[in-house]
Amino acid sequence: MRLFLATTAPQRQKTGCAIVGLHEGGGLTTSAAALDTALKGRLTRLLKRGDLRGKSGELRLLDIEGAPCERVLIVGLGKPGSFGRKQYRKALVVAVAAVTRTGARDAVSYLAEALATPDAYYDARLAAEAVGAALYRVPAIRSTRKPPQPALQAFGVTVASGGQKAAAQRGLEQGLAIAAGAALTRDLANLPANVCTPGYLAQQARELARSYKSVRTQVLEERDLKRLKMGSFLSVTNGTDEPAKLIVMRYNGGRAGQAPVALVGKGVTFDSGGISLKQPPGMDEMKFDMTGAASVLGAIKAAAEMGLKLNVVGIVPACENMPSGRATKPGDIVRSMSGQTIEVINTDAEGRLILCDALTYARRFKPAAVVDIATLTGACVIALGGHLTAVMSNDDELAGELTAAGLRAEDRCWHMPMAEEYHEQLKSNFADFANACGRDGGAITAACFLAKFTDGLRWAHLDIAGTAYLTGSHKGSTGRPVPLLMDFLIGRS
Ligand code: BES
Ligand code: MN
Ligand code: ZN
């Protein structure tokens, strides 16, 4: 797909499809009005007949003869004033999906002009991300032949402030890179656990190093983890035959010697719960328990694609959590790489057990900041639902940076508290502390556990259990929080 910045007015634009907006109540946007005039009042006639109301998500495709554009797609924008960037992204996704069902080989969107507070860079970037999301197809494994590719090959984006061409162009390019990163994240997360194993994730990380000169990948094997004394990480992988990996990717886009940002992603390729076995309903969704890892690979890819001027190190502890005769048992005590001992109260609280050793490992890179990303707790889904990611941190400034990045990227997160009282819940009679406790405040106590491994680091934790994937009939990875992470990294470059 080729994306380009379009500047020609719709009535003069030669294209397979012009995409214009209509406000609820029948207010034509500037571009729709211009087209209407060129089409001798055809759109206003449609409106008079009551065929179109401009409700959010409403679509109407018109075949045109005698105009430079072959089709017009009218998109309902909802009530005037309610059209923000979130609605803009949604409108673009449904519009692109509609265009791909036609034979149009190219299309141009005029939707950005309806935004109340235009921003050339962010409007263009979000458009590129939306087009990428609309064209994404899950890596389905079916016996029947794949559906034919859409004819659409080029997509034009307009921005409201036509004067800021350079900013819009940069937005488009960075948006394309973010879309490519998010697509990798979604592919990896959507693959079943019998394909996407720790070894597969390691291969994909090596693939990144092959594709981009700026990326170097190193994969540590179980014998290396033993040498590093990662007793906590290794205790999770005891029950499976699938070898665990610690994947380290270095993206070098900043100056040599600049302290990197470390991204640490939970890579549990399947979480059965281990001996503390989960209930069957929804257990298939635990193939998504490596989405944190997938978002780290996606962010590294996006950084390399856009040539981000920053050093980033991606660290992914990858393993399966399975029950067996060799599996870790509730009550077992393990020693983490940090030396601290952990009583494994619940083998289903495995994410923190692999992340704590990865966080300790991250220290050797002397990172400017460490952000871990994990589908860590069901409690987070209870607290924030599927809309916002939780952020917890030992540094309010860093948490603020992430919250602001999420707002700008339309990939929001919410700062949750971490106080001493919560730490008390993790007390153990037999080890330094426990890996699990009562259900109350579960997302926060999980963060408190991780905090015990972050002394002296500027660290934040993103719990993406609610936002990483959708369930039900739209089951699948969302690609979050790649847009948030990239906005955060761009802000630091
Ligand atoms: N991977 C799960 C968390 C999860 C649950 C993600 C639901 C997405 C949807 C994690 O490993 C887990 O099982 N956490 C436990 C922790 C508890 C045992 C302290 C949980 O949330 O129940
Ligand atoms: Mn678990
Ligand atoms: Zn898990």
Side-chain angles (χ1 to χ4, degrees), residues 395-409:
D395 183 313
D396 282 350
E397 208 178 306
L398 181 58
E401 229 178 295
L402 287 160
T403 310
L407 268 173
R408 287 191 300 259

Side-chain angles (χ1 to χ4, degrees), residues 266 268 270-273 278 286 289 321 348-351 375-377:
K266 173 178 174 182
V268 175
F270 189 74
D271 179 14
S272 70
K278 287 181 182 293
M286 284 302 119
D289 214 18
N321 184 24
D348 199 10
E350 86 297 342
T375 46
L376 202 62
T377 64

Side-chain angles (χ1 to χ4, degrees), residues 178-200:
I178 295 169
L184 172 63
T185 300
R186 292 175 77 176
D187 273 347
L188 294 174
N190 283 330
L191 282 170
N194 62 335
V195 175
C196 185
T197 57
Y200 184 87

Side-chain angles (χ1 to χ4, degrees), residues 37-58:
T37 310
L39 295 170
K40 305 195 174 62
R42 196 163 157 198
L43 304 188
T44 28
R45 280 199 297 282
L46 262 174
L47 286 175
K48 283 219 182 82
R49 281 174 22 188
D51 289 7
L52 261 181
R53 297 173 195 284
K55 279 208 183 321
S56 170
E58 202 180 26

